[in-house]
Amino acid sequence: MNLAVIGTGYVGLVSGTCFAEMGNDVICVDNNPEKLKKLKAAEVPIFEPGLDVLFHRNIEKERLFFTDDLKKAVLESEMIFLCLPTPQGEDGSADLKYVFGIAEDIGKILKEAGDKDFKIIVNKSTVPVGTCAGVTSVLKKYDIKNFEVVSNPEFLREGFAVEDFMKPDRIVIGASTEATIKRLKRLYEPFVRQGNPIIEMNPESSEVTKYAANSYLAMRITYMNELANFCEKVGANVDLVRKGMGSDARIGKRFLFPGIGYGGSCFPKDVNALIKTSIEHDSPMSLLKLVDEINKAQKLVLVDKVLNHFNNDVKGLTFGVWGLAFKPNTDDMREAPAVVIINKLLELGAKIKAYDPEAMENAKFYLQDRITYTENEYEAADGADALLVLTEWNEFRNPDFEKLKEGLNNNIIFDGRNIYNRRVTAAKNILHYSIGKGPVIDGKY
């Protein structure tokens, strides 16, 4: 099939590349000259495991193209995927100016071309319920009749996006006609050869599904974070509680790991957008409002532990930081707990030396030159009064503790992701603070 992907951000680039991998001809459109220059030079502008291999292969096979010519892409493609940013507005709502702006452009292009060939406009951006109807209204304003706007949300996890796209748990298609559903199913059938479902529904249900899924997962994380804080107060070990809960088939084991709050481009934005949409439709989701508030507070729980240990005075102290990205296997710094934690410590007069395997450049946008960026994790710990672990990268999970201790001024770890076994750190004479378990001192809990 001939496909157009409008927007080469995280979702657009992964989607376009993976569609091309299945033999489709894909034109990706972007209006950022700097990004286009990189893409045309076969440079992958984001870090996502496995993407570079598919990206280069499909450029070489001449199935994946990049352009700023929206008209060419629209007219030469039977399906047009909108993979546009929907940033959070000041009131928490999703800002749809890019989605509706492109809809206006498509309307003008199709009107000028004579509205000849049937076009399927696929909204892959995460958008509030009613957006498909809104885009339809924009196109009808230009007297376009030969089209259908559908919802086809993505469910990609950063760090696993290629795997999630190539072998999805499910495909959700929100469309109004059987003919359009059949064409989209034909596109997606190669991705679900193992029998995972293609779920058909109306556009409104599809739009709600994406927000519902992300908000529910955010709620699970938040519940575990609150439970971890409670466990710490009563002498329970949240890791053992988690195992006891997760063995229940009704609950399952995923998204039960406590820490310093969720971040990224999806959960915070989607939770707030659903809160705002629910209020607009006179059906406020009070639970999600609490989820958002609790998550913001959780990002500072580790700072409270630091202050308690250092008698509320960290002025002049240096802290090593391992991990800046909001999660491992990505360079995404959006809503990263590390930014909140570091900013608070800087505000209190502390100094920061930090290392992240992939997110250093993106971190500079948020933290500028107010911290020191190091070449490796041990350099970040060298001369530090304590170490803060803020992202659970695999390379941090089994460090050389003796080498780490040689660099630290004090053998103290504030483990915001609960990645270390406390008996191991106790055996190394390291004072180990974690989430939901309290410190281990002299080998005792």
Side-chain angles (χ1 to χ4, degrees):
M1 293 186 181
N2 294 319
L3 311 176
V5 174
I6 314 302
T8 60
Y10 182 82
V11 173
L13 188 57
V14 171
S15 299
T17 301
C18 291
F19 279 137
E21 178 68 10
M22 286 300 185
N24 300 288
D25 291 324
V26 182
I27 304 176
C28 294
V29 182
D30 206 291
N31 62 358
N32 183 322
E34 186 176 336
K35 183 187 288 187
L36 269 178
K37 184 178 179 181
K38 289 182 178 180
L39 292 168
K40 288 182 177 181
E43 294 181 31
V44 183
I46 61 173
F47 174 73
E48 180 60 41
L51 180 61
D52 55 342
V53 175
L54 304 188
F55 177 84
H56 291 122
R57 178 158 64 218
N58 285 284
I59 289 176
E60 290 173 7
K61 293 288 187 179
E62 297 185 345
R63 291 193 296 257
L64 183 61
F65 306 90
F66 301 95
T67 183
D68 59 357
D69 190 342
L70 179 63
K71 181 177 180 179
K72 173 182 172 67
V74 168
L75 295 180
E76 293 183 1
S77 303
E78 54 191 292
M79 294 186 192
I80 303 160
F81 287 81
L82 306 185
C83 300
L84 299 160
T86 54
Q88 182 175 309
E90 292 183 5
D91 62 353
S93 63
D95 187 343
L96 299 177
K97 63 183 177 184
Y98 300 110
V99 173
F100 288 127
I102 287 294
E104 295 276 354
D105 293 339
I106 292 173
K108 294 172 185 175
I109 290 168
L110 293 179
K111 182 175 183 178
E112 181 182 330
D115 189 22
K116 298 174 183 176
D117 300 320
F118 189 85
K119 302 290 183 182
I120 299 175
I121 317 296
V122 185
N123 206 335
K124 217 161 184 57
S125 306
T126 302
V127 294
V129 61
T131 303
C132 279
V135 172
T136 299
S137 296
V138 170
L139 295 174
K140 285 183 175 179
K141 184 174 69 175
Y142 292 93
D143 296 323
I144 308 302
K145 298 180 176 62
N146 218 9
F147 75 97
E148 184 173 346
V149 180
V150 306
S151 170
N152 172 222
E154 50 83 18
F155 299 97
L156 306 179
R157 299 168 296 161
E158 292 194 45
F160 301 91
V162 172
E163 178 184 343
D164 288 345
F165 200 103
M166 298 300 290
K167 297 179 180 179
D169 291 333
R170 79 288 203 194
I171 301 292
V172 172
I173 298 173
S176 301
T177 66
E178 188 62 33
T180 294
I181 289 174
K182 284 182 178 179
R183 290 174 70 178
L184 278 162
K185 287 178 75 172
R186 191 167 78 250
L187 172 66
Y188 277 114
E189 278 171 356
F191 296 94
V192 292
R193 288 171 294 170
Q194 294 181 337
N196 289 350
I198 296 178
I199 305 170
E200 306 168 20
M201 56 184 74
N202 64 321
E204 290 79 8
S205 297
S206 176
E207 289 166 337
V208 171
T209 296
K210 175 60 187 289
Y211 279 118
N214 278 357
S215 295
Y216 175 75
L217 294 175
M219 182 184 67
R220 274 178 72 110
I221 293 170
T222 302
Y223 173 76
M224 287 307 298
N225 286 336
E226 281 232 291
L227 185 64
N229 298 337
F230 171 73
C231 285
E232 197 168 313
K233 294 289 186 182
V234 300
N237 183 328
V238 72
D239 277 350
L240 300 178
V241 174
R242 170 179 59 79
K243 291 174 183 177
M245 292 172 57
S247 59
D248 188 327
R250 297 170 300 174
I251 296 173
K253 299 177 181 179
R254 300 180 68 180
F255 287 88
L256 294 181
F257 290 85
I260 47 178
Y262 59 77
S265 63
C266 293
F267 285 7
K269 177 173 68 72
D270 293 355
V271 166
N272 279 284
L274 189 51
I275 291 170
K276 177 65 175 177
T277 304
S278 70
I279 292 172
E280 290 174 349
H281 289 80
D282 198 27
S283 183
M285 301 186 73
S286 303
L287 177 59
L288 288 186
K289 189 170 179 60
L290 282 173
V291 167
D292 181 56
E293 292 171 357
I294 293 167
N295 186 64
K296 288 175 180 174
Q298 188 69 19
K299 291 182 178 181
L300 290 172
V301 163
L302 205 64
V303 175
D304 293 338
K305 292 178 183 292
V306 171
L307 291 175
N308 286 337
H309 178 85
F310 289 102
N311 297 316
N312 291 316
D313 185 9
V314 296
K315 188 174 183 180
L317 297 182
T318 298
F319 293 96
V321 169
W322 285 5
L324 295 168
F326 87 94
K327 62 178 284 188
N329 297 316
T330 182
D331 58 358
D332 196 341
M333 288 292 301
R334 287 173 288 185
E335 301 287 340
V339 174
V340 176
I341 292 167
I342 289 171
N343 279 334
K344 186 62 178 179
L345 290 172
L346 291 174
E347 179 187 318
L348 294 169
K351 300 175 183 178
I352 302 294
K353 297 171 66 180
Y355 171 75
D356 187 283
E358 294 294 341
M360 303 277 268
E361 285 303 312
N362 288 344
K364 292 174 183 178
F365 175 80
Y366 296 89
L367 299 167
Q368 288 95 40
D369 58 357
R370 294 178 295 130
I371 70 170
T372 300
Y373 303 91
T374 66
E375 294 295 324
N376 59 65
E377 61 267 43
Y378 295 105
E379 186 182 341
D382 189 28
D385 295 290
L387 174 67
L388 279 64
V389 180
L390 305 184
T391 312
E392 63 273 35
W393 286 93
N394 282 341
E395 63 190 78
F396 299 156
R397 290 184 179 275
N398 192 25
D400 184 336
F401 284 111
E402 294 304 321
K403 183 176 180 179
L404 177 61
K405 287 164 60 178
E406 288 175 7
L408 287 169
N409 292 340
N410 306 300
N411 296 335
I412 306 170
I413 296 177
F414 293 92
D415 183 1
R417 297 299 186 178
N418 285 6
I419 67 173
Y420 299 127
N421 184 308
R422 295 191 304 157
R423 294 193 187 279
V424 172
T425 52
K428 300 290 185 180
N429 294 316
I430 294 173
L431 179 55
H432 179 194
Y433 291 91
S434 53
I435 304 297
K437 293 180 285 188
V440 175
I441 303 173
D442 296 330
K444 297 179 181 179
Y445 288 90

